[in-house]
Amino acid sequence: MSQYQVSQAVWRDFLAQHANGGVITATVTRVVPFGAFVELPPGVPGLLSRPAWTAEAEAGERVDVRIASLDVENRRVSVVPA
């Protein structure tokens, strides 16, 4: 399983706790030109896109985010600054 594939159990737990949004503290794992990849709960990656996020961050930094969209079928999460 690649680092970006979320196990079914981890995904199910994440959805049960966060399907309705809310603020989550995430850890920046990688900064890219179009935004930053973050890890929400361990094992659940998210994307903080550049248009929604203008601050500079570094890998390892913790940021508060809000769920913008969930792609349940593909197990993907988009987040925006909280």
Side-chain angles (χ1 to χ4, degrees):
M1 180 169 13
S2 85
Q3 73 182 50
Y4 297 110
Q5 292 178 329
V6 180
S7 77
Q8 184 173 357
V10 169
W11 182 248
R12 184 178 49 244
D13 291 345
F14 177 78
L15 287 179
Q17 294 177 16
H18 302 290
N20 294 325
V23 175
I24 303 169
T25 299
T27 303
V28 175
T29 57
R30 187 168 50 125
V31 177
V32 292
F34 52 86
F37 288 99
V38 297
E39 185 172 40
L40 301 161
V44 180
L47 175 63
L48 182 58
S49 68
R50 181 61 71 184
W53 172 67
T54 58
E56 293 300 319
E58 296 179 9
E61 187 174 334
R62 295 181 57 82
V63 295
D64 290 332
V65 297
R66 185 177 310 277
I67 295 172
S69 67
L70 290 169
D71 179 347
V72 176
E73 184 176 321
N74 294 306
R75 299 181 187 172
R76 293 185 181 165
V77 182
S78 293
V79 295
V80 295

